[in-house]
């Protein structure tokens, strides 16, 4: 795994952390992974900050779960109040689920008018595939080469980033990440068409194309906006459905739009969402076109004990309150633009920087070998991620080669936080920071 | 579905509830189901009581999720305090997950020394099957005829109670519910052996036997304690593993033991848990023998964004506090015995009662046609369940024929609540209640 703690390097840890790492292995077993060469131990969170046991604060430029900020008081209040009042399931009538359902559906095109609740993005994607397979009567699912969609058996198979040892991949085909530039759409559509034809030949048939509309786990590929459209047309032509996995791209992350698919001017057949939906409370959902969910709903009932319970809906509702009240999509546009500008000014042209891609409050920086300026340098990326952690700034790495820095802060990130982040990056990478701090030299772009 | 609201009977609803039912269908789509002919609308919960919009209180004799009582203040406090402090994931070090892991593992035999966290029982069972398949290199899973284990694609296939239209059942074989009496163990083992042999012949191989140790969804079959042992031996003989699904039987439900499998004097290879674990907060887990999880952990990492996060562990920890402080397993023994005694005295011999089975605070009553005294009467059960709801007492029905009343109250149920429940049942079924109210005529048995 990219940015994983190496269990053989325990001797560099402080005794207390070393003991915790050993206790984890003993209690939780071998399948768990920690971040960083020196795993960090947090005891408190507030806004964009996480605090360790010594009271040191870390700038969180990675976690999109606490999207409206760690321990946001409005979300905490909603969870407490509802937990004190009622927390039961969806086989009784209740107002919270209806209020939230109506509210979240208003953020979608009118074609998408049903919402079903789960607890995790994995469950949402798993359910979306069940619905897609019931609708099409086919089994095949197309995903990108380094996609990550979750951890149920069905969805782990559709997550190549989990590695080659995942079972059950006969119903999955991967397509390369879309290229860059104006040909991206045609190339991606062509690859999708070929994969669909392959499924048809094998008698598997095409159920769905499942992608994150900004391709986060493939290293972020947001542009050119609109390039997904031809591929969706191919999928529909082949009788499949298009599922937009908005777990990373949704809830205003892209700034310009509430959902990542909107940037492409398309309407998915199914949309899944998760991580930021409850700011850490386990709630997730599938949004669907009624015709697509009809065959599933007719023959198969769905009940998720905790999914859509009163507390989950209260938490999710409070998150929408905060996004609206604090104008966090506008903030993602403004602070995202400032982040992009600072990264480009500071790093473009540096021999170890292959590319910088951004969308809203999400930035990806390819680290390459300085000698060639091209060859992916995952060890270089790993070094930067860990050096950033030593400076108490949290980022990670991603992409098939693991050489892409992943910067995906809470949506409340401010320009001052960008300054801290970029200056630390420049210090580590070894390049002047260019004096465009927001406070000192504001520009119209910001 | 047993005890489902019939969408064609909307005309018997009050206008307000009818509007809510219609809004649900419009917003949530066709896969959701409500309980009862007249669905109930709850706005508040406290202890064993749920309150509707008019302030009427309903005695909850069904929900095992709110196992320590609806909105238990200690659990609510733990959720609030931790939500205000920190709620992040397992890729940073954190004490709450280690404390809870150590505490829950102490309730297991020493062979079961790893715990992995998910958000739902479905995810826990899905993960357990992934682990079992990785360990055995085989695919086949044996479940009982009317088992329910969850709703991911993989686990829905292993849940015959969801109906015949579930996909992907090639890797699943069902065995009949164990018979009663001393031959139950031999018969069940024989059926399991045949199913395993069938998988072997088909080249699928046996991965696991997955059962709820008290067979809740099959209509409750706890006795004779120990009857599972020969089947487990057959599974091991065939190279498979035994998974105990403790979602319904765990956390003290059976009274005499903390886990359902303990009644049988067996040690499973994997144990899954869910519903009552966080008293409504979405938290679930898999407990495993290290050797069983080793092949999975070696080749496949596991990360569940919300699984085992700080708030989930705080909620789960508080539930254990309450179970210990309020001595709820002892309460399940005492009040369960009183419930069993009152049910047997009141109903045994009634022509419409086929059988009464109980274990701890869980009772199942088979409703049969009075004429024959044998033929399952699901409509009779449905009538009783709805009449109980009209009397503001919540129970449901279960079993392959849907003729078994399911009584599974929170573990804080008291003898006075049993009195209310049994007297209402007797009134509906039409039999004298026998005067053995706890307060009036306590016995040593109670």
């Amino acid at each position: 795994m990219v940015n994983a703690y190496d269990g053989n390097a325990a001797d560099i840890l402080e005794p207390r952390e070393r003991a915790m790492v050993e206790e984890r292995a003993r209690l939780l077993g071998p399948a768990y992974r920690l971040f960083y060469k020196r795993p960090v131990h947090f005891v408190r969170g507030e806004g964009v900050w996480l605090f360790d046991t010594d009271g040191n604060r870390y700038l969180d430029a990675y976690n999109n779960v606490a999207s409206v900020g760690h321990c946001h008081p409005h979300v905490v209040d909603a969870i407490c109040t509802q937990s004190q009042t009622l927390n039961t399931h969806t086989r009784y009538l209740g107002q919270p689920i209806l209020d939230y359902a109506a509210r979240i559906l208003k953020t979608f095109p009118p074609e998408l008018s049903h919402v079903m609740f789960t607890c995790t993005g994995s469950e949402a994607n798993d359910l979306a595939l069940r619905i897609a397979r019931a609708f099409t009567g086919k089994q095949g699912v197309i995903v990108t080469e380094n996609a990550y969609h979750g951890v149920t058996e069905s969805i782990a198979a559709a997550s190549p980033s989990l590695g080659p040892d995942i079972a059950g991949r006969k119903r999955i085909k991967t397509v390369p990440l879309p290229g860059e530039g104006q040909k991206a759409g045609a190339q991606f559509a062509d690859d999708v068409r070929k994969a669909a034809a392959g499924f048809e030949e094998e008698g598997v048939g095409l159920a769905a194309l499942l992608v994150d509309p900004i391709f986060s786990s493939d290293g972020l590929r947001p542009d050119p906006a609109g390039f997904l459209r031809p591929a969706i047309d191919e999928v529909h032509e082949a009788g499949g459905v298009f599922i937009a996995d908005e777990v990373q791209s949704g809830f205003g992350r892209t700034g310009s739009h509430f959902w990542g698919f909107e940037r492409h001017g398309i309407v998915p057949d199914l949309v899944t969402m998760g991580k930021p939906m409850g700011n850490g409370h386990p709630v997730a959902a599938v949004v669907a076109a009624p015709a697509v969910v009809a065959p599933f709903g007719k023959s198969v009932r769905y009940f998720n004990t905790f999914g859509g319970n009163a507390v989950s809906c209260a938490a999710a509702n409070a998150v929408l309150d905060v996004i609206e009240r604090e104008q966090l999509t506008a903030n993602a546009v403004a602070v995202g633009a400032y982040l992009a500008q600072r990264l480009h000014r500071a790093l473009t042209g540096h021999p170890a920087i292959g590319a910088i891609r951004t969308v809203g409050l999400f930035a990806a920086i390819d680290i390459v070998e300085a000698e060639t300026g091209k060859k992916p340098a995952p060890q270089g990326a790993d070094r930067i991620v860990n050096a950033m952690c030593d400076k108490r700034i949290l980022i990670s790495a991603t992409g098939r080669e693991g050489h892409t820095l992943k910067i995906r802060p809470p949506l409340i990130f401010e320009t001052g936080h960008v300054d801290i982040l970029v200056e630390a990056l420049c210090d580590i990478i070894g390049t002047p920071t260019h004096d465009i701090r927001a406070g000192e030299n504001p520009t119209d772009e910001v």
Side-chain angles (χ1 to χ4, degrees), chain A:
Chain A
M1 186 184 93
V2 175
N3 187 27
Y5 165 70
D6 176 359
N8 296 321
D11 50 340
I12 66 166
L13 303 185
E14 297 293 324
R16 186 178 52 187
E17 278 66 40
R18 186 170 175 165
M20 287 182 88
V21 167
E22 287 167 359
E23 199 180 1
R24 269 176 66 105
R26 190 163 49 78
L27 295 171
L28 309 183
Y32 275 77
R33 301 288 183 276
L34 285 160
F35 277 150
Y36 301 117
K37 288 202 191 310
R38 297 173 201 267
V40 281
H41 174 191
F42 293 124
V43 294
R44 190 165 77 79
E46 187 180 343
V48 297
W49 304 102
L50 286 165
F51 297 82
D52 70 15
T53 42
D54 296 320
N56 298 309
R57 68 178 196 178
Y58 286 66
L59 178 64
D60 188 351
Y62 178 71
N63 288 297
N64 67 328
V65 170
S67 187
V68 301
H70 291 281
C71 305
H72 193 291
H74 182 65
V75 181
V76 171
D77 281 354
I79 289 169
C80 292
T81 302
Q82 189 62 53
S83 294
Q84 285 161 0
T85 309
L86 179 72
N87 189 21
T88 193
H89 54 79
T90 57
R91 281 185 170 161
Y92 307 122
L93 291 169
Q95 201 58 45
I97 193 173
L98 298 178
D99 291 344
Y100 185 76
R103 188 173 182 185
I104 195 71
L105 287 171
K106 279 195 191 128
T107 68
F108 285 93
E111 294 92 328
L112 293 164
S113 59
H114 285 335
V115 57
M116 298 172 70
F117 292 91
T118 67
C119 294
T120 67
S122 293
E123 285 189 334
N125 279 323
D126 188 291
L127 175 59
L129 288 198
R130 291 184 69 198
I131 291 170
R133 285 170 172 153
F135 176 71
T136 60
K138 305 290 174 64
Q139 294 295 312
V141 175
I142 302 170
V143 296
T144 48
E145 280 178 347
N146 201 55
Y148 174 77
H149 296 292
V151 291
T152 66
E153 184 184 60
S154 160
I155 283 296
S159 297
S161 70
L162 289 175
D165 294 325
I166 301 288
R169 292 224 164 118
K170 283 185 186 165
R171 299 184 295 170
I172 305 297
K173 285 189 190 293
T174 60
V175 289
L177 189 58
E180 312 224 25
Q182 293 311 314
K183 288 184 181 167
Q187 171 244 308
F188 191 64
D190 198 47
D191 289 332
V192 167
R193 188 183 50 72
K194 285 176 190 160
F199 276 136
E200 208 55 45
E201 276 169 33
E202 294 160 16
V204 174
L206 178 67
L209 170 66
L210 167 63
V211 298
D212 165 355
I214 59 170
F215 300 89
S216 310
S217 299
D218 287 284
L220 197 66
R221 193 62 53 94
D223 296 313
F227 77 75
L228 266 177
R229 178 180 282 280
I232 312 313
D233 292 342
E234 291 290 352
V235 168
H236 288 156
E237 183 71 23
V241 301
F242 171 55
I243 307 171
D245 177 343
E246 296 278 355
V247 169
Q248 296 203 63
S249 54
F251 290 96
R253 171 65 47 186
T254 66
S256 61
H257 298 82
F258 200 79
W259 302 108
F261 70 81
E262 295 177 278
R263 295 179 68 253
H264 289 283
I266 54 177
V267 179
D269 303 293
L270 293 157
V271 178
T272 58
M273 63 196 74
K275 291 194 199 307
M277 188 172 177
N279 212 47
H281 185 89
V283 56
V286 178
V287 164
V292 174
V293 81
F296 178 83
K298 196 174 175 184
S299 61
V300 181
R301 65 182 185 268
Y302 185 81
F303 176 65
N304 186 309
T305 301
F306 308 125
N309 73 14
V311 173
S312 297
C313 290
N317 200 49
V319 167
L320 292 184
D321 288 343
V322 177
I323 291 173
E324 287 177 16
R325 290 177 193 173
E326 300 185 11
Q327 302 183 44
L328 294 185
T329 54
N331 191 67
V333 170
V335 179
Y338 180 68
L339 171 65
Q341 184 194 43
R342 286 218 65 181
L343 290 175
H344 278 289
R345 286 213 197 170
L347 299 177
T348 298
H350 187 286
I353 303 300
I356 300 168
R357 293 176 298 279
T358 66
V359 61
L361 254 174
F362 202 145
I365 305 171
D366 292 343
I367 305 301
V368 294
E369 290 187 355
E371 297 73 27
T372 64
K374 283 188 176 174
K375 199 176 167 200
Q379 290 181 331
D382 192 60
R383 189 182 64 81
I384 295 167
V385 167
N386 280 285
M388 289 290 279
C389 187
D390 289 342
K391 287 174 178 286
R392 302 196 183 124
I393 299 167
L394 305 175
I395 65 169
S396 194
T398 189
R400 196 180 64 171
E401 319 290 343
H403 74 307
T404 303
L405 302 183
K406 182 173 182 179
I407 299 169
R408 187 192 52 178
L411 295 183
I412 55 166
F413 221 58
E414 297 172 5
T415 52
H417 305 133
V418 172
D419 291 337
I420 297 169
L421 171 80
V422 176
E423 282 162 32
L425 258 184
C426 289
D427 189 40
I428 290 162
I429 294 174
T431 180
T433 59
H434 301 278
D435 194 25
I436 56 154
R437 278 165 163 267
E440 296 162 11
N441 182 17
T443 71
D444 288 341
E445 293 171 72
V446 174

